Amino acid sequence: MSSSIIRRAVIARPALRCRTVVNSVRSYATPSNEEIDPQLNGYPQLPWKSRQELPPLGWQDPLYRRNFGDTLHEQEEVLSMWGPDVPPIAPNTAVRHFLIAAAGFVAFGFGVKYVLLQDAPVIRREYPYDGLVKELGGLEENKARIVNSLS
């Protein structure tokens, strides 16, 4: 007898807490100014909002963040808790941050190559007769650097 009283108290307590959530969650099923989708055939046209964005407490089924008997969205597999994660920042802000970071890496590379890197302490080897093309077999692939001779 005492276990049934405890069980009723445990079950009744979250249900009372969930009533305020039920009203706020179900309020989005009201008609909006959007065009009604004819493929839904009378099914409520719910807004595109992921379950991950809802508060974590106050649900009869906290794993899925929903109450029993709630109307499911037509795209529930995408908007459920197990769907793709909701990005923590807006996509345009993420692209801007990525471009700033990429520009920083490129600027660092150019800075190292052109400012911090010393010139070679030797003179590069130069070959006469059009880069030894004839001596290497006459192919353009074997051509070394062309000498700008003044003679």
Side-chain angles (χ1 to χ4, degrees), residues 6 11 14 26 35 40 45 133 137 140:
I6 293 172
I11 293 173
R26 290 187 181 169
E35 184 177 325
L40 291 179
Q45 191 166 351
V133 173
E140 288 294 320

Side-chain angles (χ1 to χ4, degrees), residues 61-98:
D61 186 4
L63 183 64
Y64 288 106
R65 290 187 186 171
R66 55 183 297 245
N67 293 321
F68 300 114
D70 279 352
T71 305
L72 295 179
H73 195 277
E74 61 181 283
Q75 297 289 328
E76 178 65 22
E77 64 274 0
V78 175
L79 297 175
S80 71
M81 289 296 295
W82 306 108
D85 289 337
V86 176
I89 59 174
N92 57 357
T93 306
V95 169
R96 184 173 17 138
H97 290 176
F98 174 74

